[in-house]
Amino acid sequence: MSETIAGVPIPDGAVAREATELVRDTASPLLFDHSRRVYVFGALRGREQGLEFDPELLYIGAMFHDLGLTERFRRTDQRFEIDGADEARRFLHAHGITGDSADRVWTAIALHTTPEIPLHMAPEIALLTRGVELDVLGIGYHALSEQQRAAVVEAHPRPDFKNRILAAFTEGIR
């Protein structure tokens, strides 16, 4: 792991690198930066809570969690969360990651907009929700230091995030 943000190493194995490139090539810079912040915020919350988690699985979940909002991966017959979860599972299976690992990532993505329930599940599921809650809603803001938050936003800025993410949801769900 060569890149570190706020003391959190960014997974850089072959699967993580390919996921990064897929999201960078498919999603807008807004969603790419949001996804990376979600990973770092989730990992920081995991440390703060003393949870053991698989960084690569959390990273894949974070990177794919909003792919259902993109033109390439959105469908019209199910929720965008399921679109992203299905694509993450296909991606993981294509890389030989199956069973419980793939199921945890699928569940994390599928439930990332569901309050409370994910927090009672496996760490990767709970921490994806924690990362999303912090980046989108500010829940858990004070659980991190000012320096940690600043380092994350320096690496992945949030210009006019509130309005831009609402527009992305509107477009993606339409």
Side-chain angles (χ1 to χ4, degrees), residues 34-66:
H34 165 59
S35 297
R36 296 272 292 210
R37 287 192 307 272
V38 164
Y39 168 72
V40 179
F41 285 148
L44 287 168
R45 292 299 313 272
R47 278 189 192 166
E48 175 250 336
Q49 295 174 342
L51 297 177
E52 291 185 28
F53 60 93
D54 183 316
E56 187 171 64
L57 294 182
L58 179 58
Y59 185 77
I60 299 298
M63 295 309 291
F64 279 72
H65 85 277
D66 277 344

Side-chain angles (χ1 to χ4, degrees), residues 1-11 36 40 47 151 155:
M1 297 191 199
S2 58
E3 182 182 10
T4 301
I5 300 172
V8 174
I10 304 299
R36 296 272 292 210
V40 179
R47 278 189 192 166

